[in-house]
Amino acid sequence: MNTIKYFLLSASVLLSAHVFAQSKLEVVAEFPSERPGNIAVSPEGRIFITMSALVSSKHMVREILSDGSTVPFPEEEWVMQPNSSNKGVSGTIGIQVSSDNMLWVLDMGNPGAALKQNPKLIGWNIATRKLFKVFIIPDTVLTATSFLQDFIIDMKNGTAVIADMTSSIGGQINPALIIVNLNTGFAKRVLQDHPSFLPISDPIIVDGIKVIHKKADGTAMQPRNGLNPISIDKENNFIYFGAMGAKKIYKIPSSVLADESLSNESLAKYISFYADKPISDGFKVGENGNIYVTDVQENAVGVSSPQGYKKLLADKRLSWPDGVALYKGYLYIVANQLHHLPLLNNGVDASRPPYYVFRMKID
């Protein structure tokens, strides 16, 4: 009898914990077919998202309204495919709000278009919806397999720092950082193939299934996901980064990356290990040295610090947690099931919409 009571009590505790975990996730927006990509929140609490570049979407940058609906931002023409006026976004993932209330979006470009589209960094004034700046990323800092995703805006030193993961589908990866001077537009590629940018050899496994690329010629391969998540602290003193397919976070002083006179050898001396992390597609630096990270293999989010990694919440609805943002004690999380796309699921579409933007209280 005691054994039965113990079993029932244990089951009740587990069920209660599961229900509590479920209740901690609030749905901010739900998408019945299109996949959200990354997310940013302005100082006033306005929420902006990109739509994943891996699937088709008419409006690739949107604002999420209080009722969960979305509208193009800043205007329809700017967030559709580029037209003859050079407005438009070919494809995007990365999005950030800088402390001066500018919304920045990284257009990954389209080198194969009839009119070649180079990647570009675009800034809009959130309050006025007016274009602020456009920086074209030149061929001199790109490679044949460049895959520009996440980035940070360093207001203290006047730079944007872009993580070029490079795509293993095209062959050899050569991840690097691209530094853009926000005053002059000068761009520099640095630290290519630094060990801190490289993935480990372990496959990514979600729900017992390996993530496998299916190439156009029908061959399958295990992806090698290098440098991707990148974030900067509130004071703009340190930039934190890591390989998506590795389990360590590193940091470097932001002022060092802004110094255009330093060589790769000099820059490398300033890189230091910061904390352990899981396989993650995104992270964001919070208070007290905490970095809030996505945990794609466990359908979870967690927090990394020099004391180690701690899982905060696991939930089946967090199916491929992608981009994250922080705002007034809340962690915002995009869950978009990227691993269910044919490109990442050995040619099979296992998508189970809807896709979500969630938030959860963290303090």
Side-chain angles (χ1 to χ4, degrees), residues 15 53 179 255:
L15 179 60
I179 318 299
S255 58

Side-chain angles (χ1 to χ4, degrees), residues 157-353:
N157 296 288
T159 61
V161 181
I162 302 168
D164 184 1
M165 185 169 82
T166 64
S167 173
S168 60
I169 298 178
Q172 178 69 34
I173 63 168
N174 298 110
L177 290 172
I178 296 174
I179 318 299
V180 180
N181 186 311
L182 296 177
N183 296 309
T184 66
F186 176 74
K188 184 179 181 182
R189 186 180 187 88
V190 300
L191 293 167
Q192 180 168 299
D193 297 326
H194 189 272
S196 62
F197 297 172
L198 300 176
I200 57 179
S201 59
D202 297 352
I204 298 176
I205 301 174
V206 185
D207 298 329
I209 300 173
K210 288 184 181 180
V211 174
I212 296 291
H213 278 315
K214 188 67 172 287
K215 300 174 71 173
D217 63 5
T219 58
M221 61 171 289
Q222 178 183 311
R224 301 189 68 236
N225 299 301
L227 175 68
N228 185 347
I230 184 170
S231 186
I232 190 168
D233 60 30
K234 186 177 180 180
E235 296 75 27
N236 284 195
N237 290 331
F238 286 93
I239 295 169
Y240 299 79
F241 60 89
M244 175 182 167
K247 297 184 178 182
K248 295 183 184 296
I249 298 173
Y250 298 85
K251 70 175 185 177
I252 189 171
S254 55
S255 58
V256 169
L257 285 180
D259 188 341
E260 295 171 3
S261 69
L262 294 181
S263 66
N264 285 327
E265 291 74 17
S266 297
L267 289 174
K269 295 176 182 178
Y270 289 92
I271 294 175
S272 59
F273 168 75
Y274 183 71
D276 292 321
K277 72 171 184 69
I279 301 298
S280 53
D281 204 351
F283 58 56
K284 186 70 69 174
V285 178
E287 302 292 336
N288 304 316
N290 290 327
I291 299 182
Y292 295 89
V293 305
T294 65
D295 189 338
V296 299
Q297 295 194 120
E298 297 295 328
N299 304 308
V301 290
V303 60
S304 292
S305 72
Q307 288 70 51
Y309 170 71
K310 180 177 71 172
K311 191 185 300 181
L312 294 177
L313 175 67
D315 190 309
K316 286 297 184 182
R317 294 175 296 169
L318 288 174
S319 185
W320 199 276
D322 196 329
V324 292
L326 291 167
Y327 179 72
K328 291 190 175 179
Y330 280 93
L331 177 67
Y332 288 76
I333 314 152
V334 171
N336 56 22
Q337 300 182 36
L338 289 185
H339 61 300
H340 287 159
L341 286 168
L343 178 68
L344 300 174
N345 193 41
N346 203 16
V348 177
D349 189 351
S351 302
R352 296 190 297 268

Side-chain angles (χ1 to χ4, degrees), residues 20-27 301 313 315 317-318 333 358-360:
F20 176 69
Q22 290 279 332
S23 67
K24 290 181 70 173
L25 278 183
E26 300 176 35
V27 176
V301 290
L313 175 67
D315 190 309
R317 294 175 296 169
L318 288 174
I333 314 152
F358 296 109
R359 74 171 188 171
M360 61 176 285

Side-chain angles (χ1 to χ4, degrees), residues 33-47:
S33 57
E34 298 170 295
R35 282 174 162 88
N38 279 4
I39 187 167
V41 183
S42 77
E44 296 79 24
R46 294 173 66 178
I47 306 169

Side-chain angles (χ1 to χ4, degrees), residues 37-38 50-53 91-95 106 108 147 149-150 322:
N38 279 4
T50 55
M51 303 306 292
S52 175
T92 184
I93 297 174
I95 186 170
L106 179 61
M108 296 187 295
F147 189 15
Q149 293 198 47
D150 290 354
D322 196 329

Side-chain angles (χ1 to χ4, degrees), residues 78-185:
W78 252 118
V79 295
M80 296 172 64
Q81 289 292 318
N83 58 28
S84 58
S85 69
N86 290 322
K87 287 185 177 181
V89 174
S90 297
T92 184
I93 297 174
I95 186 170
Q96 298 290 337
V97 174
S98 54
S99 58
D100 57 350
N101 211 32
M102 299 295 170
L103 181 71
W104 293 91
V105 169
L106 179 61
D107 179 0
M108 296 187 295
N110 184 2
L115 291 175
K116 179 184 175 182
Q117 298 289 329
N118 268 49
K120 58 182 180 287
L121 186 64
I122 313 167
W124 294 287
N125 184 301
I126 291 175
T128 65
R129 294 178 178 260
K130 299 296 185 183
L131 181 67
F132 174 56
K133 285 184 178 179
V134 177
F135 296 99
I136 306 296
I137 311 300
D139 290 340
T140 51
V141 299
L142 302 173
T143 72
T145 59
S146 280
F147 189 15
L148 279 55
Q149 293 198 47
D150 290 354
F151 68 97
I152 61 92
I153 299 294
D154 174 9
M155 294 295 294
K156 183 176 181 179
N157 296 288
T159 61
V161 181
I162 302 168
D164 184 1
M165 185 169 82
T166 64
S167 173
S168 60
I169 298 178
Q172 178 69 34
I173 63 168
N174 298 110
L177 290 172
I178 296 174
I179 318 299
V180 180
N181 186 311
L182 296 177
N183 296 309
T184 66

